[in-house]
């Protein structure tokens, strides 16, 4: 197929960016979206132009490194990661607009690459169970009902891609933060610290400049791992019970 | 130089306990005076960095991705082994040890492998304590499955995302230490060189991938946890950024490289669909528990399939060749990876491949769906089936999957002793980056186990033993050795940017990949290897005179990053060829056409080749020198591996 690409180009964080239009041909339906961009980049390199920079690594939909806002949707038209999007989802003659994630807490690094280290700092603020290596009980001494384990698992599958933030008009990180809080709050291992954890992670989220929840569910609708909105409700519960209990002290 | 593996003396089962008692300890108050560099934040690196920081050392952790959570370990699907014997099916530390040694075709060290099996049980406890959501039974206890050539159910799993969940566990422990101020993170930073002062590793040189800044980092010890080098084949199941650069630069600074030719070709991957392909996707081999592998009995039938004149369902039962079940009645579809891969190659070489390229076999779930129902199959493999459909556009509930072997894992790596120290004092290698535990073939679900064993339970002891003898003073970062290494790196960046030829980096990478796959892949022979060596040499020459790297060194520059990596792959490729050529036997993943049994199985030569090959770098373009570490087997008897 032949396509027209409108791609956001920006040399560095301080320079002003803008769209550039490229024509590309000979794209097969079996290619992944990123392989299509590989073809574009080989063309550009051959012509001596700087290739389009974008993040990616596993190309299997699991590392969360790829991003891209495609035709107004994070990760494009399907509820999957960009690396798992295939060109059979487009048709000959299409124009495709490709932008980076847009959020104050995700500053642009170059072209389509953004800085998501704010997510790491949120996890550092409390997204863990405080255990050291060694000296822990036998794994089967902590039985966990399968339904609870499965629910925790559903939340744990978040890949930290940031599509939820990109999808939200307030650029809120609630879905990402709530997924981690839920995963740990549901498990006996994580229960002990659940209030403190919620408090610290929410505080860090605010500090990073993420917006407030719009309650529209755009995040969950675009999340490639189908993280549920119910996690946000659980997080709010944990958070409010945390603030109540500290007031009581 | 004689290689000393430093395996403790005494009975196998007591070696590690005894060693832990004998290692020197660093006083808790003094630990904060030591700085440790950990390169890589996959399972090995994240677990080591977190555990060392918990002990009180100051740690700097580096990775090239934007976050430590994205290390390639995240992609592991199937599971992690541990000798818990929760299923009461006869598993034990000794059995896991035995299976791993045998699976590795008797080319690994008894002492290391036993320790691996021994600490495997601690890993599961640790991960559960961190909140890793392993699969559970209705009673609330942990579930297991059998995996990749094992006859007991000892594999713990988290749906098809085991690596992700284990890595997120290790990443959370790491994040906690970042918050505690004990670990400083350096994401989007690539290690470019190791700095050796007075024979000891004392730091590294890095390139900040965003700004291009070349920087020196001094430390008391350096741990390389930088993963495997499967991308030397261009197409593999590894992540796009996986590379050999860190290990290779260490090799050039004196660390021996072991068994580079031992590569694992995984039998169940989605076949190549065209020239545009940038990577191959693994379908977890847990699928072989329920899927049946087959091709048509005749070439004619396969030809019709390839031309799409008939569909798989048109082929009658008696016209199907379930070749693994027939050839290996006791293991059937669950034979080890090397055996399954090689047999897929054989049937395709016979003209019985089932897709347009002729390089694919069926993995069929028809019978499992009939037996257990579609829902049960969906429950076990749903996400894998979805992924398959995404990529191929075919529905595996209705038509059999097509699979073909692809490069997946590298058993070779930096030579390390029992303490995981390389031949350069103070320089360690953990995880897939070392050569240590899998011999000539790795069993499924054993890499995650090894990475976490090295990081959580081995390095924290053995690194302390080394540091206990080292003065607290750090080498200054303006020491001439650091300066020199920085200058070398800068010169190389400049060189790559000024060649200004007319072929892209990928052009060279693809060419190298083809040479390696055709001549040093699933089967090798002396003639092909000799030819390949010449081809790589001239490709390398062409690279350094005709590669085109655009942009500058002072910005995010993906082609420059790739150029560095491909330059190192070109050198590694040649060493792999030398290693494959010198090993005049077949073992595990290294299959030499000239050395096979009448049934076409790998024919080892224990008398002449029961050793670890450790290669020493001699300088640009010079052949490397081979050192041999003889393998001593006191607890297992070397037999012809049989899975009949
Ligand atoms: C698709 C797939 C599925 C798998 N499934 C399983 C399974 O089910 N069970 C199993 O046991 N094994 C499995 N494996 C193998 C296993 O995942 C790997 O062997 C293991 O995760 C490697 O871990 P590691 O910590 O050694 O390295 P990695 O996880 O590869 O991490 C390497 C780290 O080093 C960093 N790095 C590399 N080079 C540099 C450099 N020059 N400078 C700075 N940083 C650098 C990277 O940023 C990264 O952080 C699978 C592998 C693949 C490819
Ligand atoms: S919640 Fe979903 S969209 Fe958000 S980071 Fe996690 S996986 Fe990505
Ligand atoms: S590249 Fe890893 S999720 Fe897309």
């Amino acid at each position: 197929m032949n396509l027209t690409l409108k791609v956001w180009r920006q040399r560095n964080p301080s320079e002003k960016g803008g769209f550039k239009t490229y024509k590309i041909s000979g794209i097969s339906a079996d290619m992944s979206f990123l392989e299509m961009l590989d073809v574009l980049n080989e063309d550009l390199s051959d012509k001596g132009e700087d290739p389009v920079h974008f993040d990616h690594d596993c190309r299997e939909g699991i590392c969360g490194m790829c991003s891209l806002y495609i035709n107004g949707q994070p990760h494009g038209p399907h509820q999957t990661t960009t690396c798992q999007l295939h060109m059979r989802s487009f048709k000959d003659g299409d124009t495709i607009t490709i932008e980076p994630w847009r959020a104050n807490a995700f500053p642009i690094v170059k072209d389509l690459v953004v800085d998501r280290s704010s997510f790491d700092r949120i996890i550092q603020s409390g997204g863990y169970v405080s255990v050291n290596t060694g000296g822990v009980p036998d794994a089967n001494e902590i039985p966990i009902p399968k339904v609870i384990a499965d629910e925790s698992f559903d939340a744990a599958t978040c890949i930290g891609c940031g599509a939820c933030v990109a999808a939200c008009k307030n650029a809120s990180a609630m879905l990402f933060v709530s997924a981690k809080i839920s995963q740990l709050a549901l498990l006996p291992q994580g229960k002990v610290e659940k209030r403190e954890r919620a408090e610290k992670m929410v505080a860090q989220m605010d500090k990073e400049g993420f917006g407030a929840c719009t309650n529209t569910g755009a995040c969950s609708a675009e999340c490639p791992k189908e993280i549920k909105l119910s996690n946000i409700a659980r997080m709010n519960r944990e958070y409010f019970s945390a603030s109540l209990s500290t007031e009581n002290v | 130089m004689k290689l000393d593996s430093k395996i403790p003396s005494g009975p196998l089962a007591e070696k590690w306990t005894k060693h832990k008692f004998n290692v020197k300890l660093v006083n808790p108050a003094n630990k904060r005076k030591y700085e440790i560099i950990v390169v890589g934040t996959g399972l090995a690196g994240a677990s080591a960095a977190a555990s060392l920081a918990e002990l009180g050392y100051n740690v700097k952790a580096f990775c090239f991705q934007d976050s430590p959570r994205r290390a390639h370990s995240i992609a592991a699907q199937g599971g992690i082994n541990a000798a818990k014997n929760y299923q009461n099916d006869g598993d034990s530390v000794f059995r896991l040890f035995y299976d791993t040694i045998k699976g590795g075709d008797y080319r690994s060290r008894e002492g290391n492998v036993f320790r691996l099996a021994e600490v495997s049980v601690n890993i599961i406890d640790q991960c559960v304590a961190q909140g890793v959501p392993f699969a559970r039974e209705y009673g609330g206890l942990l579930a297991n499955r059998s995996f990749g050539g094992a006859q007991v159910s000892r594999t713990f799993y988290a749906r098809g995302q085991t690596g992700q969940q284990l890595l997120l566990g290790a990443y959370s422990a790491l994040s906690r230490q970042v918050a505690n101020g004990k670990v400083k993170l350096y994401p989007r930073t690539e290690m470019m060189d190791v700095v050796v002062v007075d024979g000891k590793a004392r730091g590294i040189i890095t390139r900040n991938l965003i700004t291009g800044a070349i920087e020196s980092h001094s430390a008391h010890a350096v741990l390389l946890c930088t993963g495997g080098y499967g991308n030397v084949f261009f197409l593999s199941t590894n992540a796009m950024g996986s590379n050999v650069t860190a290990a290779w630069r260490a090799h050039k600074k004196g660390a021996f490289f072991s068994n580079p030719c031992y590569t694992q070709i995984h039998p169940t991957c989605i076949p190549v669909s065209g020239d545009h392909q940038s990577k191959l996707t693994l379908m977890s081999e847990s699928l072989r528990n329920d899927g049946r592998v087959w091709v048509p009995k005749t070439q004619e039938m396969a030809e019709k399939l390839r031309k799409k004149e008939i569909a798989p369902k048109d082929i009658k039962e008696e016209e199907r060749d379930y070749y693994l079940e027939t050839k290996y009645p006791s293991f059937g579809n669950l034979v080890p990876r090397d055996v399954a891969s090689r047999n897929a190659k054989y049937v395709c070489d016979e003209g019985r491949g089932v897709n347009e390229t002729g390089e694919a076999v069926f993995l069929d779930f028809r019978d499992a769906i009939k037996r257990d129902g579609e829902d049960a199959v969906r429950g076990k493999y749903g996400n894998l089936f979805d992924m398959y459909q995404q990529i191929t556009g075919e529905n595996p509930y209705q038509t059999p999957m097509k699979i073909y072997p692809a490069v997946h894992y590298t058993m070779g790596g930096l030579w390390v002793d029992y303490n995981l120290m390389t031949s350069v004092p103070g320089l360690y290698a953990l995880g897939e980056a070392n050569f240590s535990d899998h011999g000539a073939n790795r069993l499924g679900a054993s890499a995650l186990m090894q990475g976490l064993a090295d990081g959580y339970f081995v390095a924290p002891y053995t690194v302390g033993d080394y540091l206990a003898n080292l003065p607290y003073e750090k080498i200054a970062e303006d020491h001439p050795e650091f300066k020199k290494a920085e200058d070398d790196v800068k010169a190389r960046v400049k060189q790559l940017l000024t060649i200004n030829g007319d072929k892209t980096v990928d052009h060279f990478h693809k060419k190298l990949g083809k040479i390696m796959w055709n001549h040093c892949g699933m089967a090798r022979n002396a003639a092909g290897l000799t030819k390949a060596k010449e081809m790589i040499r001239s490709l390398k020459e062409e690279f350094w005179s005709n590669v085109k790297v655009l942009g500058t060194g002072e910005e995010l520059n993906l082609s420059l990053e790739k150029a560095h990596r491909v330059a190192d792959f070109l050198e590694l490729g040649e060493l792999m060829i030398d290693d494959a050529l010198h090993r005049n036997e077949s073992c595990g993943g290294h299959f030499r056409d000239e050395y096979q049994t009448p049934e076409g199985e790998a024919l080892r030569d224990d008398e002449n080749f029961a050793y670890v090959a450790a290669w020493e770098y001699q300088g640009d373009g010079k052949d490397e020198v081979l050192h041999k570490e003889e393998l001593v087997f006191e607890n297992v008897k070397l037999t012809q591996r049989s899975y009949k």
Side-chain angles (χ1 to χ4, degrees):
Chain A
M1 22 175 147
N2 299 317
L3 301 165
T4 304
L5 304 177
K6 285 177 67 187
V7 185
W8 184 263
R9 303 295 317 250
Q10 180 171 345
R11 277 194 73 105
N12 56 48
S14 48
E15 226 164 83
K16 213 164 138 311
F19 285 104
K20 256 196 107 162
T21 305
Y22 303 99
K23 298 260 180 225
I24 182 169
S25 54
I27 298 301
S28 97
D30 282 335
M31 282 183 189
S32 72
F33 197 84
L34 298 183
E35 283 167 350
M36 183 274 293
L37 288 180
D38 291 344
V39 173
L40 171 69
N41 278 344
E42 285 283 288
D43 283 358
L44 290 177
S45 303
D46 281 339
K47 284 193 251 161
E49 289 178 44
D50 197 24
V52 177
H53 282 62
F54 58 90
D55 266 329
H56 65 109
D57 198 25
C58 73
R59 296 203 176 187
E60 282 191 17
I62 194 75
C63 73
M65 185 120 174
C66 63
S67 50
L68 307 191
Y69 201 69
I70 303 166
N71 289 342
Q73 278 183 290
H75 293 304
H78 302 298
Q79 213 175 346
T80 177
T81 56
T82 296
C83 60
Q84 294 298 90
L85 174 66
H86 282 73
M87 293 314 289
R88 65 179 74 89
S89 303
F90 299 89
K91 48 181 204 313
D92 189 38
D94 276 359
T95 296
I96 308 176
T97 307
I98 311 172
E99 295 170 75
W101 284 174
R102 308 255 187 212
N104 286 338
F106 291 163
I108 292 180
V109 174
K110 181 174 179 178
D111 295 341
L112 304 169
V113 175
V114 300
D115 177 355
R116 287 168 287 193
S117 53
S118 47
F119 269 14
D120 286 319
R121 289 189 294 273
I122 292 175
I123 298 293
Q124 286 154 20
S125 71
Y128 39 76
V129 176
S130 300
V131 289
N132 281 352
T133 302
V136 298
D138 183 272
N140 260 351
E141 273 178 34
I142 320 172
I144 301 171
K146 186 166 166 20
V147 278
I148 304 269
D150 285 349
E151 209 183 337
S152 167
F153 196 111
D154 287 341
T157 57
C158 163
I159 56 176
C161 62
C164 45
V165 176
C168 176
K169 65 176 177 4
N170 285 358
S172 164
M174 292 287 260
L175 195 64
F176 167 76
V177 178
S178 69
K180 186 47 78 184
I181 288 180
S182 287
Q183 176 206 341
L184 297 177
L186 281 161
L187 299 172
Q189 304 93 299
K191 276 222 162 78
V192 186
E193 301 168 279
K194 66 176 184 168
R195 289 189 179 152
E196 202 190 340
R197 177 180 308 119
E199 230 173 28
K200 285 185 175 164
M201 290 180 75
V202 169
Q204 187 66 33
M205 173 177 84
D206 293 342
K207 198 170 138 196
E208 296 289 347
F210 289 102
C213 185
T214 60
N215 294 311
T216 58
C219 52
S220 182
E222 295 292 352
C223 169
K225 297 295 145 179
E226 300 174 35
I227 301 295
K228 295 193 205 94
L229 280 179
S230 55
N231 289 303
I232 298 187
R234 183 176 299 103
M235 168 167 112
N236 287 334
R237 265 199 318 276
E238 298 302 343
Y239 182 69
F240 286 118
S241 66
S243 42
L244 284 180
S245 65
T246 24
E247 274 164 28
N248 286 344
V249 179
Chain B
M1 175 183 164
K2 190 166 158 10
L3 285 171
D4 182 1
S5 64
K6 306 225 172 84
I7 303 278
S9 59
L12 189 60
E14 287 161 30
K15 286 183 194 290
W16 179 231
T17 313
K18 189 174 137 190
H19 191 64
K20 278 193 289 186
F21 181 74
N22 286 335
V23 297
K24 285 182 218 68
L25 299 177
V26 178
N27 175 318
N30 290 336
K31 289 203 175 93
R32 72 174 81 96
K33 297 177 185 157
Y34 291 107
E35 181 113 7
I36 300 171
I37 283 174
V38 178
V39 189
T41 59
L43 288 182
S47 59
S51 305
L52 288 161
E54 286 161 10
L55 289 172
Y57 298 109
N58 298 314
V59 177
K60 285 184 175 181
F62 297 80
C63 66
F64 66 75
Q65 291 92 346
D66 68 333
S67 162
R69 66 182 287 156
R70 307 204 202 282
H72 174 56
S73 295
I74 201 94
Q77 303 173 350
I80 176 166
N81 286 330
K84 281 283 195 188
N85 195 27
Y86 282 160
Q87 306 307 320
N88 195 29
D89 58 359
D91 199 13
S92 63
V93 168
F94 193 86
R95 187 178 294 278
L96 176 54
F97 153 77
Y98 179 80
D99 287 353
T100 307
I101 286 270
K102 177 186 168 198
D105 222 356
Y106 307 98
R107 290 294 175 265
S108 45
R109 290 183 194 138
E110 282 191 342
N112 282 58
V113 176
F114 194 88
R115 173 177 66 190
L116 176 65
E118 193 177 336
V119 303
S120 68
V121 298
N122 306 111
I123 294 172
I124 303 303
D125 299 343
Q126 189 63 36
C127 295
V128 167
Q130 289 167 346
V132 170
F134 283 121
R136 287 177 184 270
E137 305 288 357
Y138 281 97
L141 299 181
L142 292 166
N144 290 118
R145 60 181 169 204
S146 77
F147 198 78
Q151 285 175 311
V152 291
S153 286
R154 62 159 76 97
T155 304
F156 293 78
Y157 62 101
R159 291 188 201 156
Q161 290 137 267
T162 315
Q164 180 197 27
Q165 294 309 318
L166 295 174
L167 183 61
L168 292 181
Y171 161 75
S172 74
L174 179 69
S175 299
R176 178 169 162 248
Q177 293 310 314
V178 174
N180 284 346
K182 294 306 289 181
V183 174
K184 186 155 167 35
L185 282 184
Y186 294 83
R188 291 207 200 260
T189 308
E190 180 133 355
M191 182 195 120
M192 306 300 289
D193 211 348
V194 180
V195 178
V196 180
V197 180
D198 297 331
K200 293 193 173 81
R202 296 308 302 251
I204 61 171
I205 308 294
T206 58
R207 179 167 181 272
N208 177 319
L209 297 179
I210 302 288
T211 64
I214 308 289
E215 283 157 345
S216 288
H217 299 270
S218 169
H220 296 91
V222 176
L223 277 55
L224 300 184
C225 314
T226 47
Y229 52 85
N231 277 350
V232 64
F233 291 88
F234 184 72
L235 285 181
S236 83
T237 63
N238 288 8
M240 301 299 287
S242 299
N243 66 85
V244 76
T245 290
W248 193 254
R249 305 287 165 90
H251 176 54
K252 289 176 121 174
K253 283 288 170 78
F256 293 178
F257 208 104
S258 272
N259 304 333
C261 80
Y262 291 166
T263 41
Q264 176 160 82
I265 316 278
H266 195 293
T268 50
C269 301
I270 299 180
V272 177
S273 74
D275 266 347
H276 59 267
Q277 196 124 4
S278 59
K279 77 156 277 163
L280 294 170
T281 303
L282 173 80
M283 290 277 98
S284 167
E285 86 183 319
S286 61
L287 293 168
R288 284 200 277 147
N289 282 326
D290 287 298
R292 299 179 68 193
V293 177
W294 66 276
V295 290
K297 279 195 174 142
T298 63
Q299 271 184 36
E300 296 70 53
M301 198 69 105
E303 185 64 36
K304 284 190 191 156
L305 270 174
R306 289 200 287 270
K307 291 193 179 140
K308 299 213 156 82
E309 291 165 10
I310 54 169
K313 64 172 172 13
D314 302 328
I315 303 181
K316 293 197 212 65
E317 201 54 29
E318 61 276 13
E319 292 165 337
R320 300 177 174 203
D321 180 6
Y322 296 94
Y323 57 89
L324 290 177
E325 296 172 26
T326 329
K327 212 162 155 188
Y328 308 98
S330 75
F331 278 71
N333 293 302
L334 294 174
V335 289
R337 292 175 176 176
D338 53 337
V339 180
S341 293
R342 210 146 46 234
N343 280 283
K345 178 179 179 344
Y346 290 154
V347 295
C348 291
D349 286 352
E350 286 163 21
R352 297 195 283 149
V354 298
N355 71 350
E356 297 87 65
T357 66
E359 295 199 329
V361 300
F362 288 129
L363 180 65
D364 198 339
F365 291 86
R366 184 196 63 183
D367 296 347
I369 292 174
K370 231 188 270 165
R371 187 185 64 224
D372 305 332
E374 192 170 314
D375 282 347
V377 171
R378 180 169 286 116
K380 277 196 206 164
Y381 309 115
N383 62 335
L384 295 171
F385 278 41
D386 291 348
M387 180 154 103
Y388 182 85
Q389 189 162 7
Q390 280 277 0
I391 294 173
T392 63
E394 289 183 9
N395 178 349
Y397 294 101
Q398 281 158 17
T399 186
M401 281 186 181
K402 292 183 195 121
I403 54 163
Y404 199 67
V407 173
H408 178 57
Y409 181 88
T410 50
M411 281 76 70
L414 292 175
W415 182 88
V416 289
D417 64 16
Y418 190 70
N419 295 316
L420 305 182
M421 199 194 283
T422 67
S423 49
V424 177
L427 182 67
Y428 292 77
L430 280 61
E432 193 172 337
N434 73 26
F435 87 104
S436 73
D437 296 351
H438 308 293
N441 173 54
R442 175 178 70 82
L443 291 181
S446 290
L448 302 182
M449 168 171 74
Q450 183 225 331
L452 290 180
D454 289 358
Y456 283 133
F457 298 109
V458 180
Y461 286 95
T462 59
V463 173
D465 184 46
Y466 170 76
L467 292 177
N469 287 331
L470 216 63
Y472 304 134
E473 291 75 49
K474 271 203 305 191
I475 305 276
E477 279 158 7
D478 55 9
H479 185 280
E481 286 298 333
F482 274 100
K483 275 295 294 161
K484 184 175 171 303
E486 267 194 30
D487 291 344
D488 289 349
V489 171
K490 284 180 187 155
R492 185 167 147 130
V493 169
K494 193 160 161 215
Q495 191 184 0
L496 285 168
L497 286 169
T498 47
I499 295 170
N500 209 2
D502 48 37
K503 291 280 192 308
T504 61
V505 178
D506 262 358
H507 164 86
F508 290 98
H509 197 182
K510 283 184 183 171
K511 270 192 143 172
L512 172 66
K514 282 226 169 76
I515 300 173
M516 295 303 292
W517 179 247
N518 290 336
H519 301 292
C520 198
M522 265 190 283
R524 301 119 185 228
N525 58 57
L529 289 164
T530 312
K531 196 167 107 199
K533 185 167 160 121
E534 282 314 306
M535 289 164 85
I536 293 180
R537 286 212 158 167
S538 54
L539 189 64
K540 183 175 145 195
E541 231 165 78
E542 197 195 330
F543 176 91
W544 284 105
S545 59
N546 198 21
V547 72
K548 169 149 80 184
V549 185
L550 297 166
T552 71
E554 289 79 44
E555 59 178 340
L556 180 62
N557 185 337
L558 293 176
S559 26
L560 178 62
E561 283 170 36
K562 260 216 97 170
H564 278 291
R565 293 173 189 160
V566 172
D568 292 334
F569 279 139
L570 281 162
E571 295 180 10
L572 166 77
E574 198 181 324
L575 184 64
M576 289 170 71
I577 302 275
D578 285 342
D579 189 45
L581 194 55
H582 108 281
R583 192 166 277 279
N584 288 322
E585 66 162 351
S586 294
C587 56
H590 168 65
F591 190 82
R592 284 277 301 268
D593 293 329
E594 303 95 319
Y595 309 100
Q596 47 182 308
T597 66
E599 299 90 50
E601 305 295 343
L603 184 64
R604 288 196 326 263
D605 176 355
D606 293 331
E607 203 165 310
N608 295 303
F609 289 96
Y611 62 75
V612 174
W615 297 91
E616 183 182 7
Y617 186 75
Q618 299 294 313
D620 193 25
K622 296 205 183 106
D623 279 336
E624 302 209 358
V625 167
L626 172 66
H627 300 268
K628 298 177 185 176
E629 179 202 326
E630 294 298 331
L631 291 166
V632 185
F633 295 94
E634 290 165 341
N635 300 277
V636 298
K637 214 172 113 244
L638 276 61
T639 55
Q640 164 74 36
R641 255 182 351 153
S642 165
Y643 294 93
K644 296 247 171 216

